């Protein structure tokens, strides 16, 4: 079929997001494409009511968009309202929505420590998500505690489904079964898998490994993308090759490897902590996670915000300083966030790795503008005292 | 369903501090043709990107590159890495539509995960910036997630620039 004689429309899972510049965002592939103003103007007209030849003569661009499934061509008109949203600069791209703190497990490393009973009311969760979408958000990370303990989770997910956001659920997987999986209207589930059976169960302090693996297969069978998060700890160091085989077998979209930060429950379980020098090589097993890149010249947190179960916004869940009430005004919370230019990291200015490590984790750094000792080791730089 | 997408990526070049040269890193020359042919075969054979090159005729691919059929071959901005006398990694650039393009990037499987490709790319990007280029382009198979991860970490973004 010659595209010039077809009606062009933006694919259902694609939206135009004008952030620092115009982008095309594919929810299903989680890809963000930079486009220019001319391309944006053309794509805005792809509402299924005009023939391709009436819109453009740029065959290369149209054909690329068709092969990437960004555009659809049909032989009859199929009108849509082209989704376009204008964000802020810097843009808020990722929101971590902590629905509750309650969890069915008591993991040795959990940064939350003692659990409380706080829960974000359903109406508030929806309100925050709608604000996030209106600000040009890309990925909504739904987390907790264990989000499957949130009684109104299915209702929440169904309500927000029409918003042009990629819905990513973080779960330990133990409550996912044949019934609950049908209620999870999400694009991706990120499972915590912290070792191959023994290492995983030891960190979870429960024999949950099989349940988690079964849930991963169940998610895949139900057409949900799966990603994996693994913590390096002293009881899983010999299990990464086995984990790698599994991650490749299930075609995980992302394998995030992280090291422990001594806070929360870990303070009482420090035998799990691994020296930085030992942990660093294991980061190479991971992939993905860079998502759509951070703004050049800034440290972590340039595009991310977290909301806690009490509705307060924070820089990320390690931080307690509230940036405001997200239910009332998420935009103002984002405007209250401080962004750290890499030039302000005075100890890192002469470091050859700065462009790659981007200052690492600001929470892990000993001082707000100091070096992240783990990244120094990971990049072969002498670590600070 | 298999993900057959080919992602166009672009990196805005900037004044980036050059990494240490890898031992054995140098600019490719015509005499490398035979070794590059062998490298292409072993690097792509049975790999996730096997269908991205003419694996049965790697010599033809390499000759086409040197002959400029994929755009003018930018040998001075390309790199190979030798271990002993064997080329184990190569990052080869052409000039395509006015911008440098990573035409082939390949590493012998037994030398992967040693950072050769990453460090060559960083040095190449630095050279390109010094030469006055603004962008570096490449095309990558979406299913090669590890490669996409590497490129993103170096500042490459998905980009549709043809409009």
């Amino acid at each position: 079929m010659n595209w010039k004689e077809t009606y062009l429309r933006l694919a259902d899972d694609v939206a135009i997001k004008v952030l620092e510049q115009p982008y095309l965002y594919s929810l299903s592939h989680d890809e963000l494409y930079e486009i220019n103003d001319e391309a944006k103007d053309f794509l805005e007209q792809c509402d299924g009511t005009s023939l391709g030849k009436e819109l453009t003569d740029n065959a290369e661009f149209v054909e690329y968009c068709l092969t990437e499934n960004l555009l659809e061509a049909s032989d009859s008109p199929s009108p849509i309202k082209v989704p376009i949203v204008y964000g802020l600069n810097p843009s808020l791209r990722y929101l971590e929505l902590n629905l509750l703190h309650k969890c069915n497990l008591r993991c040795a490393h959990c940064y939350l420590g003692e659990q409380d009973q706080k829960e974000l009311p359903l109406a508030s969760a929806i309100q925050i998500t709608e604000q996030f979408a209106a600000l040009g958000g890309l990925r909504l990370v739904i987390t907790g505690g264990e989000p499957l303990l949130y009684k109104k989770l299915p209702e929440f997910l169904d309500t927000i489904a029409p918003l042009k956001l990629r819905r990513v659920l973080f779960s330990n997987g133990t409550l996912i079964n044949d019934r609950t999986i049908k209620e999870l209207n999400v694009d991706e589930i990120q499972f915590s898998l912290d070792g191959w059976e023994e290492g995983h169960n030891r960190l979870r302090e429960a024999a949950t490994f099989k349940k988690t693996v079964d849930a991963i297969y169940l998610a895949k069978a139900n057409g949900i993308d799966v990603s994996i998060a693994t913590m390096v700890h002293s009881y899983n160091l010999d299990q990464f090759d086995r984990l790698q085989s599994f991650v490749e077998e299930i075609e995980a979209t992302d394998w995030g490897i992280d090291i422990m930060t001594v806070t929360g429950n870990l303070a009482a379980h420090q035998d799990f902590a691994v020296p930085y020098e030992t942990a660093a090589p294991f980061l190479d097993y991971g992939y993905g996670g860079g998502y759509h890149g951070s703004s050049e010249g800034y440290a972590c947190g340039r595009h991310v915000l977290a909301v806690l179960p009490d509705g307060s916004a924070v820089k990320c869940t390690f931080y307690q300083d509230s940036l405001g009430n997200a239910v009332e005004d998420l935009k103002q919370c984002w405007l209250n966030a401080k962004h750290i230019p890499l030039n302000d990291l005075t100890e890192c200015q002469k470091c050859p790795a700065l462009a790659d490590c981007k200052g690492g984790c600001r929470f892990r750094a000993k001082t707000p503008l100091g070096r992240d000792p783990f990244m120094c080791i990971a990049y072969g730089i002498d670590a600070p005292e | 369903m298999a993900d057959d997408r080919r992602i166009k990526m672009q990196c805005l070049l900037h004044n980036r501090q050059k990494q240490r040269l890898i031992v054995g890193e140098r600019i490719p020359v015509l005499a490398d043709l035979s070794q590059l042919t062998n490298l292409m075969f072993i690097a792509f054979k049975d790999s996730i990107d096997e269908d991205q090159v003419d694996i049965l005729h790697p010599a033809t691919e390499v000759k086409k590159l040197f002959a400029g059929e994929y755009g003018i071959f930018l040998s001075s901005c390309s790199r190979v890495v030798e271990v002993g006398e064997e080329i184990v990694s190569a990052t080869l650039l052409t000039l395509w539509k006015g911008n440098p393009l990573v035409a082939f990037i390949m590493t012998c499987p037994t030398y992967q995960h040693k950072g050769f490709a990453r460090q060559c790319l960083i040095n190449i990007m630095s050279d390109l910036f010094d030469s006055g280029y603004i962008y570096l382009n490449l095309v990558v198979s979406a299913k090669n997630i590890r490669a996409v991860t590497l490129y993103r970490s170096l500042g490459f973004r998905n980009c549709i620039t043809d409009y």
Side-chain angles (χ1 to χ4, degrees):
Chain A
M1 192 160 46
N2 182 349
W3 63 267
K4 290 182 180 175
E5 302 299 332
T6 63
Y7 293 86
L8 295 178
R9 54 178 271 179
L10 224 55
D12 287 340
D13 67 331
V14 172
I16 300 171
K17 308 247 180 184
V18 184
L19 307 177
E20 286 77 3
Q21 67 178 81
Y23 291 99
L24 208 52
Y25 181 56
S26 164
L27 276 73
S28 59
H29 292 123
D30 198 15
E31 302 277 10
L32 190 67
Y33 300 82
E34 289 183 12
I35 54 176
N36 57 25
D37 289 330
E38 291 76 19
K40 174 183 141 289
D41 293 344
F42 158 69
L43 291 165
E44 272 191 88
Q45 297 177 68
C46 293
D47 61 359
T49 64
S50 301
L51 289 170
K53 66 183 178 187
E54 297 166 352
L55 298 174
T56 185
D57 57 2
N58 190 334
E60 187 175 347
F61 182 82
V62 173
E63 283 163 7
Y64 181 74
C65 288
L66 287 168
T67 57
E68 290 283 293
N69 304 318
L70 300 170
L71 280 178
E72 292 171 355
S74 68
D75 50 15
S76 59
S78 50
I80 58 161
K81 185 177 186 307
V82 174
I84 180 163
V85 62
Y86 291 82
L88 302 170
N89 188 354
S91 55
L92 175 56
R93 301 181 181 189
Y94 319 114
L95 187 72
E96 190 181 315
L97 190 60
N98 293 262
L99 292 173
L100 74 177
H101 277 155
K102 197 161 66 175
C103 187
N104 59 326
L105 300 179
R106 298 288 179 273
C107 302
H109 69 304
C110 183
Y111 67 91
L112 288 173
E114 284 297 311
Q115 297 172 17
D116 60 41
Q117 298 301 309
K118 284 179 194 153
E119 274 198 25
L120 199 56
L122 175 64
S124 300
I126 293 170
Q127 209 172 328
I128 291 166
T129 305
E130 287 173 341
Q131 291 182 73
F132 176 53
L135 291 171
L138 304 179
R139 287 169 63 97
L140 177 73
V141 173
I142 302 146
T143 182
E146 171 51 50
L148 270 87
L149 290 175
Y150 189 72
K151 288 193 174 57
K152 294 184 175 172
L153 183 67
E155 192 179 343
F156 171 62
L157 295 174
D158 286 342
T159 305
I160 64 167
L163 301 173
K164 296 291 183 186
L165 299 171
R166 183 171 170 90
R167 286 151 288 136
V168 184
L169 186 77
F170 279 15
S171 174
N172 59 41
T174 58
L175 301 175
I176 293 177
N177 54 41
D178 289 325
R179 181 184 60 79
T180 56
I181 194 75
K182 305 288 183 201
E183 300 172 341
L184 298 180
N185 188 358
V186 295
D187 300 290
E188 174 184 337
I189 302 177
Q190 182 174 103
F191 292 91
S192 304
L193 193 64
D194 294 300
W196 194 253
E197 190 143 16
E198 185 197 344
H200 178 83
N201 288 340
R202 194 151 182 174
L203 192 67
R204 303 268 156 238
E205 300 197 323
T208 62
F209 176 77
K210 185 174 183 310
K211 278 186 180 175
T212 302
V213 170
D214 287 348
I216 290 169
Y217 284 125
L218 205 50
K220 290 290 293 180
N222 281 270
I224 300 172
D225 284 346
V226 164
S227 54
I228 301 293
T230 302
M231 200 60 83
V232 180
H233 63 82
S234 52
Y235 301 106
N236 71 0
L237 301 178
D238 60 345
Q239 293 153 34
F240 273 79
D241 286 338
R242 183 64 188 89
L243 278 171
Q244 183 175 32
S245 302
F246 177 70
V247 167
E248 286 172 0
E249 176 204 327
I250 61 164
E251 297 179 325
T253 56
D254 183 309
W255 187 15
I257 313 278
D258 205 357
I259 58 149
M260 294 177 167
T261 300
V262 180
T263 183
N265 288 354
L266 193 61
H269 296 93
Q270 295 205 28
D271 55 313
F272 283 90
V274 175
Y276 288 162
E277 293 84 351
T278 308
F282 290 92
L283 293 192
D284 289 341
Y285 279 91
Y287 59 79
Y291 304 126
H292 320 104
S294 59
S295 286
E296 289 296 330
Y298 282 86
C300 66
R302 182 67 169 160
H303 297 293
V304 66
L305 199 66
V307 175
L308 304 179
D310 65 2
S312 63
V314 290
K315 187 178 163 69
C316 84
T317 43
F318 284 130
Y319 288 89
Q320 301 299 318
D321 300 337
S322 175
L323 298 168
N325 186 318
V327 186
E328 291 172 4
D329 194 344
L330 184 69
K331 178 181 174 182
Q332 189 56 54
C333 295
W334 179 239
L335 293 173
N336 291 342
K338 298 279 187 290
H339 302 273
I340 303 173
L342 291 183
N343 284 340
D344 286 2
L345 304 183
T346 46
E347 294 177 26
C348 304
Q349 287 313 300
K350 292 181 180 170
C351 178
L354 182 60
D356 295 319
C357 96
K358 297 181 173 67
C361 169
R362 287 297 88 208
F363 183 79
R364 207 160 44 213
K366 299 281 186 235
T367 61
L369 300 177
R371 295 203 276 173
D372 170 356
F374 176 71
M375 284 312 224
C376 295
I377 289 168
Y379 281 88
I381 309 296
D382 291 333
E385 292 298 317
Chain B
M1 195 171 67
D3 190 349
D4 294 327
R5 291 174 305 123
R6 301 274 294 150
I7 302 174
K8 294 180 181 182
M9 301 186 91
Q10 184 173 75
C11 180
L12 176 64
L13 300 167
H14 56 92
N15 193 8
R16 177 176 205 137
Q17 191 163 347
K18 197 173 279 194
Q19 299 282 299
R20 292 179 294 270
L21 281 182
I22 308 165
V23 176
E25 180 184 337
R26 64 168 171 80
I27 288 168
V29 293
L30 195 58
D32 295 328
L33 206 141
S34 164
Q35 281 217 50
L36 287 171
T37 299
N38 292 338
L39 176 63
M40 180 175 287
F41 183 77
I42 58 173
F44 283 96
K45 184 84 177 83
D46 298 327
S47 80
I48 203 165
D49 282 328
E50 182 172 336
D51 56 345
Q52 305 305 324
V53 298
D54 183 357
I55 195 71
L56 296 176
H57 306 97
T60 310
E61 289 275 38
V62 177
K63 280 177 189 163
K64 280 183 177 177
L65 173 83
F66 275 84
E69 291 192 30
Y70 299 126
I72 299 166
F73 179 39
L74 297 178
S75 60
S76 63
C77 294
S78 299
R79 292 287 192 286
V80 295
V81 178
E82 281 179 317
V83 173
E85 294 185 353
E86 181 191 4
I87 294 178
V88 299
S89 182
T91 306
L92 307 171
L93 272 68
T94 62
L95 193 64
W96 185 256
K97 293 186 176 179
N99 280 316
L101 171 78
V102 179
F104 295 104
I105 184 162
M106 47 201 183
T107 300
C108 174
T110 50
Y111 288 92
Q112 284 175 354
H113 311 301
K114 297 186 185 302
F116 288 167
R118 179 185 183 82
Q119 229 169 69
C120 282
L121 265 175
I122 289 172
N123 290 341
I124 285 168
M125 288 158 71
S126 177
D127 287 351
L128 289 170
F129 179 82
D130 292 343
S131 302
Y133 290 107
I134 299 172
Y135 295 108
L136 175 60
N137 294 331
L138 59 82
V139 182
V140 61
S141 166
K143 61 191 173 194
N144 194 347
I145 303 174
R146 286 191 183 273
V148 173
T149 304
L150 165 68
Y151 299 141
R152 282 188 177 158
S153 73
L154 291 172
F156 284 85
R157 308 280 176 262
N158 295 15
C159 201
I160 317 175
T161 53
D162 310 303
Y163 208 91

